[in-house]
């Protein structure tokens, strides 16, 4: 439907109800049930074998590392990991599903329960997390008038995180996905790259009058591949539901597709129920049985999670909660910040430098913090120089830029390039006198009592000194030249 559909509808009377199903590829070297590579971007159909091609007589063998990663994800999300879970065959027929079924889990999943704490203070629930294998990929734009099939992805291990229908807006859905992605990244479970398809979202949405508690028919928008697409698709589909109800119509339970180019949601097929998949236990795999002690060992091995890390920073480093959100968004950047703060002995200054110069440089270059040439120890040493007054903040930024291509320590760069802060009164007076002569109008007005020009004159001195002048002493010396009005 188009964005114009809800023009005459009072949307405020209606409540959006959303439950998200998030498919996450696990970060394993090989596939879920065979030894084929699970790497992304290889030549089409290069990573296949009799098992993932479903050739007769081929038998699956469960990837132990996939079980470890799936368990780690479930524990990080507060789920109960069950001692016994059962793999099942989920039967459906797509061109990119060679077996005609997908190995998944049905009524006995790996884990249930759990919640995701969001930045807005809410905590939508998780119904279940189950393991399964991915399907292949249909490619419609490679050959004109034909569809190509790439089975490299077939059999890559997944977890599906099924959320409770407790999300009430498109914006909250986006917050949920960002929080989920952050947790999974911290745990090393997945790359969670929507661009590469290692995180894909199916969004179930319905509408009901505010105050109503019963659920109405839902539609499922399949394979959303960006947070912005999730938000836009939910808004459009919710508006269609409301407009249909207000016109006296009804909503059919359907599977929908979002067309980002046309900004519309359109039907794909009728929505399947679980009975349509004809689940039955996978005869070639025994039940998955996890020892309780092993599960607890996985729990103990979890890293500090993002929410706990942010709370610690705010409490011990004294940084603002909003800054903690920015710094914790990437686990590698968060670790880098911690090292910088430790080296500098100063949390707030470290936060300012990492959020400012460091992230700006990474955004500009498109690089990662792992390859960043300014180590945390060197940045901490630079912050210490600025904090101690050895160099000005302006000179500090100049030194930082030099450090990107020069492996020398910041103090050595400052000494070599003449950037150590000058506090000698005679040198400062000389610069001030030069500024006084070059800007006679501003100097005369300032001397006559126009105090607002002091900052302008300080700026001129700092520029002339190439950032080396001690601004506090410059201010004091300038004040002595002013005649009280």
């Amino acid at each position: 439907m188009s964005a114009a559909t809800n023009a005459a509808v009072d949307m405020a009377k209606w409540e959006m109800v959303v439950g998200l199903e998030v498919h996450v590829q696990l970060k394993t070297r090989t596939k879920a049930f065979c030894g084929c590579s699970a790497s992304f971007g290889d030549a089409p159909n290069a990573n296949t074998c009799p098992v993932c091609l479903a050739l007769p007589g081929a038998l699956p063998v469960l990837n132990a590392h996939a079980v470890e990663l799936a368990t780690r994800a479930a524990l990080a999300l507060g789920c109960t990991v069950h001692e016994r879970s059962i793999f099942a065959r989920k039967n459906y027929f797509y061109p990119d599903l060679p077996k005609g079924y997908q190995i998944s889990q049905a009524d006995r999943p790996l884990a249930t329960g759990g919640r995701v704490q969001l930045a807005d203070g809410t905590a939508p629930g998780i119904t279940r997390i189950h393991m399964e294998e991915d399907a292949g990929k249909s490619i419609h734009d490679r050959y004109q008038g034909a569809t190509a099939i790439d089975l490299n992805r077939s059999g890559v291990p997944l977890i599906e995180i099924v959320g409770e229908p407790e999300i009430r807006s498109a914006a909250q859905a986006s917050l949920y996905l960002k929080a989920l992605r952050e947790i999974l990244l911290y745990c090393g479970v997945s790359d969670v790259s929507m661009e590469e398809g290692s995180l894909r979202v199916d969004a179930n949405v319905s509408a009901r009058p505010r105050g109503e508690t019963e659920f109405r028919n839902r539609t499922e928008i399949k394979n959303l591949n960006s947070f912005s697409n999730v938000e836009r698709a939910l808004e459009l589909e919710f508006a269609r539901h409301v407009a249909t109800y207000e016109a006296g119509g009804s909503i059919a339970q359907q599977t929908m597709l979002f067309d980002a180019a046309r900004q519309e949601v359109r039907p794909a097929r009728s929505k399947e129920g679980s009975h349509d998949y004809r689940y039955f236990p996978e005869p070639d795999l025994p039940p998955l049985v996890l020892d309780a002690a092993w599960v607890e060992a996985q729990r103990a091995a979890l890293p500090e999670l993002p929410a706990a890390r942010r709370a610690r920073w705010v409490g011990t480093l004294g940084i603002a909660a909003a800054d903690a959100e920015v710094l914790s968004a990437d686990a590698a950047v968060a670790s880098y910040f911690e090292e910088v703060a430790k080296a500098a002995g100063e949390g707030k200054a470290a936060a300012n430098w990492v959020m400012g110069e460091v992230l700006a440089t990474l955004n500009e270059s498109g690089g990662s913090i792992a390859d960043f040439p300014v180590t945390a120890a060197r940045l901490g040493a630079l912050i210490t120089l600025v904090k101690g007054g050895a160099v000005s903040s302006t000179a500090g930024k100049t030194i930082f830029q030099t450090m990107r291509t020069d492996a020398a320590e910041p103090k050595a760069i400052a000494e070599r390039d003449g950037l150590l802060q000058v506090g000698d009164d005679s040198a400062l007076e000389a610069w001030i006198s030069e500024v006084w002569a070059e800007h006679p109008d501003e100097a005369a007005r300032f001397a006559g009592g126009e105090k607002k020009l002091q900052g302008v004159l300080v700026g001129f001195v700092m520029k002339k000194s190439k950032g080396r002048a001690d601004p506090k002493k410059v201010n004091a010396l300038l004040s002595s030249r002013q005649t009280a009005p």
Side-chain angles (χ1 to χ4, degrees):
M1 74 166 265
S2 70
T5 304
N6 65 337
V9 173
D10 184 359
M11 302 295 289
K13 293 180 180 178
W14 295 83
E15 179 178 59
M16 181 188 291
V17 179
V18 174
L20 299 177
E21 298 173 8
V22 182
H23 297 82
V24 179
Q25 284 187 353
L26 298 174
K27 197 174 181 179
T28 57
R29 186 177 58 82
T30 57
K31 293 185 180 182
F33 301 110
C34 67
C36 290
S37 171
S39 65
F40 174 82
D42 291 347
N45 298 304
N47 301 329
T48 57
C49 73
V51 173
C52 51
L53 291 175
L55 299 184
L59 294 175
V61 177
L62 180 59
N63 185 328
H65 188 45
V67 177
E68 181 182 320
L69 294 180
T71 302
R72 190 185 303 174
L75 293 171
L77 293 168
C79 300
T80 298
V81 174
H82 299 296
E83 180 183 339
R84 183 184 179 91
S85 57
I86 306 273
F87 284 100
R89 290 189 180 183
K90 180 180 181 181
N91 296 275
Y92 59 99
F93 298 96
Y94 285 169
D96 51 19
L97 192 69
K99 294 193 287 280
Y101 63 87
Q102 177 188 31
I103 299 178
S104 182
Q105 291 181 322
D107 57 337
R108 299 289 297 276
L110 175 74
T112 53
R115 291 199 170 273
V116 182
Q117 187 68 47
L118 307 189
D120 64 0
T122 62
I126 293 171
T127 306
R128 56 185 277 148
I129 294 178
H130 61 262
M131 298 183 67
E132 60 187 21
E133 62 179 337
D134 212 341
K137 187 175 183 181
S138 297
I139 302 168
H140 305 291
D141 56 0
R142 183 71 60 87
Y143 305 105
Q144 188 171 1
T147 293
I149 303 296
D150 181 5
L151 294 175
N152 279 348
R153 200 175 70 181
S154 180
V156 169
L158 296 175
I159 52 171
E160 182 174 345
I161 304 169
V162 181
E164 293 283 347
E166 295 177 355
I167 293 172
R168 294 294 177 264
S169 72
Q172 190 185 20
S174 183
L175 286 178
Y176 174 91
L177 292 171
K178 288 173 182 176
L180 199 64
R181 181 180 184 276
E182 188 179 64
I183 291 168
L184 297 174
L185 272 175
Y186 266 66
C187 295
V189 166
S190 171
D191 293 327
V192 284
S193 167
M194 296 187 92
E195 294 79 12
E196 294 184 1
S198 56
L199 187 152
R200 304 192 297 275
V201 181
D202 298 340
N204 293 280
V205 59
S206 63
R208 64 186 180 189
R210 292 196 180 275
E212 186 176 291
T213 57
E214 295 297 318
F215 293 121
R216 297 192 175 196
N217 272 0
R218 60 186 170 88
T219 51
E220 182 181 32
I221 312 168
K222 297 286 286 187
N223 292 328
L224 296 166
N225 59 4
S226 75
F227 297 145
S228 59
N229 281 353
V230 170
E231 288 198 54
R232 188 60 182 142
L234 286 173
E235 288 165 353
L236 288 170
E237 184 63 358
F238 173 60
R240 183 183 75 86
H241 283 223
V242 171
T244 301
Y245 286 134
E246 293 244 338
S250 60
I251 294 292
Q253 189 161 301
Q254 290 177 298
T255 295
M256 314 293 287
L257 296 175
F258 174 61
D259 188 326
R262 295 184 178 183
Q263 288 290 289
E264 66 179 20
V265 179
R266 61 175 182 267
R269 61 181 185 272
S270 61
K271 172 64 181 158
E272 301 93 338
S274 60
H275 62 278
D276 293 312
Y277 294 121
R278 305 186 315 283
Y279 284 103
F280 62 88
E282 168 57 70
D284 294 329
L285 287 169
L288 175 59
V289 178
L290 303 178
D291 180 75
W294 181 87
V295 172
E296 288 309 307
Q298 301 307 310
R299 190 192 308 277
L302 287 175
E304 182 182 35
L305 296 176
R309 179 173 265 189
R310 286 191 288 269
R312 177 169 57 80
W313 288 347
V314 171
T316 63
L317 298 180
I319 66 173
D323 292 346
E325 287 281 347
V326 173
L327 292 164
S328 65
D330 181 282
V333 170
S335 295
Y336 178 85
F337 160 69
E338 290 228 49
E339 292 176 26
V340 173
K342 183 178 180 180
E346 167 64 64
K348 289 183 180 179
N352 290 337
W353 277 88
V354 174
M355 289 191 300
E357 270 60 38
V358 174
L359 291 185
T361 302
L362 291 177
N363 289 336
E364 175 189 322
S365 66
S368 72
I369 197 69
D371 304 319
F372 195 58
V374 182
T375 65
R378 292 173 73 217
L379 180 54
L382 175 59
I383 293 170
T384 300
L385 287 179
V386 175
K387 187 175 64 171
V391 299
S392 68
S393 59
T394 302
K397 292 179 181 179
T398 301
I399 294 168
F400 176 84
Q401 293 303 322
T402 302
M403 290 166 67
R404 291 174 59 185
T405 55
D406 189 326
E409 288 301 309
K411 186 176 181 181
I413 294 171
E415 290 171 343
R416 183 194 68 199
D417 296 348
L419 294 171
L420 288 174
Q421 189 156 269
V422 175
D424 178 69
D425 284 2
S426 61
L428 297 177
E429 283 285 9
W431 281 324
I432 291 172
S433 294
E434 289 180 33
V435 167
W436 214 259
E438 292 168 4
H439 302 277
D441 180 54
E442 288 89 344
R445 286 160 55 200
F446 172 72
E450 200 169 330
K451 291 185 177 181
K452 66 181 182 181
L453 286 170
Q454 183 158 342
V456 174
L457 293 170
V458 169
F460 289 148
V461 174
M462 296 305 295
K463 184 176 181 180
K464 180 166 285 295
S465 69
K466 296 180 180 178
R468 295 167 61 205
D470 183 334
K472 290 183 180 178
K473 287 197 171 185
V474 171
N475 271 293
L477 292 170
L478 279 172
S479 294
S480 69
R481 293 190 178 213
Q482 187 175 53
T483 303

